Amino acid sequence: MRNKVEINRIRTKIVSILSKGSFVSGEDLAQTLNLSRSAISNHIKALVALGLDIYTVKGRGYKLSQAIVMLDANKISSLINKPSAETLIHIENIISSTNDVLKKDAVNLQNGACILAEAQTAGRGRRGRTWVSPFGASIYMSMLWRFESGYQSMAGLSLVIGIAVIRTIAGLGYASCQLKWPNDVYANQKKLCGILIEVEGQVGGSTDAIIGIGVNVQLPSDIEGIEQAYTDLSTVAGRSIDRNELAARLIENVWQILPVFEQEGLRPFLPEWEQADLFYNQAVELMSGNQRIKGVCKGVDSSGALLLENEGSIKSYHGGEISVRRSQLVS
């Protein structure tokens, strides 16, 4: 049995061949890849299961419903104004999750190293939720950042990463986005991007943050498994999106924002957060464990805690999720 690396290499090659936009026969694919026709058929089925829309027409072969431009580490690094960019950016094809792969190799990686993938088979969001990750449809990225001052210097990290995301999207002229505490980016009241921070290290010592970012770019129309209102950049912008350019600008913005955050914390970014806050001055409900706390959202404090006003008193909360009435927003 072929190992996973070889299988993923074959499937990526198939996608690369089909991405040119014309039909390719099963026989031609089999000859090119030195495989049987039945093996090609099985690989095609697996790619469809990963979210690719592939036409299968008897007598003509296979064709992608729309062309895909694959992620390219050289192109991404060439768009970033940083001499060492090419050594920090790594592209994977089909993996479990970018966070998992980055964590396993973190000790060997430089600060700021990034892994991007074309597809994830076990992508996840906060609280163990599944992050649906179709092939070539989004940005699935994780970055390693070492905080020498330890865990205590990371308060509000997911919030500042959200700011980096909306700066990127606005800078490319795609959309005006909003932030939902503590780790989501929204557009038109639908989820566009999620952020997952995982921490490796000991309290009081140097701490590695694994910063996972998933941005919906052009999701398949028949996608399944997403249990909330969502959108993607191509829908919001009304045009196709260059994923390589998007990845380059996102990486660059995160690289720029993190040193400031590490030195000064969240405070310099609070006005920007408040301006983009999806729920500012709205009546919301915070769900934290078994508790449901109602109040009016008053933004966040310098530690990244949510501020809720209730009966004239403002209190801060560090954990949980917020929502409003379903008639206002599906969350």
Side-chain angles (χ1 to χ4, degrees), residues 73 80 201:
I80 298 174

Side-chain angles (χ1 to χ4, degrees), residues 262-304:
E262 194 169 11
Q263 292 296 317
E264 303 181 42
L266 188 60
R267 191 174 298 278
F269 306 101
L270 290 177
E272 197 170 354
W273 171 269
E274 182 177 313
Q275 186 175 13
D277 191 343
L278 180 64
F279 291 136
Y280 191 75
N281 268 342
Q282 290 191 48
V284 301
E285 183 176 70
L286 173 68
M287 293 169 284
S288 180
N290 294 325
Q291 288 187 307
R292 291 180 177 270
I293 306 159
K294 295 182 179 180
V296 175
C297 177
K298 290 297 181 180
V300 297
D301 66 17
S302 59
S303 72

Side-chain angles (χ1 to χ4, degrees), residues 210-228:
I210 311 298
I211 302 167
I213 304 172
V215 184
N216 299 334
V217 177
Q218 189 163 358
L219 298 175
S221 58
D222 59 349
I223 193 168
E224 297 179 353
I226 303 179
E227 298 177 350
Q228 62 187 121

Side-chain angles (χ1 to χ4, degrees), residues 10-24:
I10 291 169
R11 290 175 183 171
T12 302
K13 182 65 176 177
I14 291 172
V15 174
S16 180
I17 293 170
L18 297 182
S19 67
K20 296 170 184 174
S22 56
F23 277 98
V24 180

Side-chain angles (χ1 to χ4, degrees), residues 145 147 152-161 256-269 302:
W145 198 266
F147 287 82
Q152 63 274 14
S153 63
M154 296 170 54
L157 177 57
S158 65
L159 279 67
V160 82
I161 296 300
Q256 289 174 352
I257 209 170
L258 283 177
V260 179
F261 172 74
E262 194 169 11
Q263 292 296 317
E264 303 181 42
L266 188 60
R267 191 174 298 278
F269 306 101
S302 59

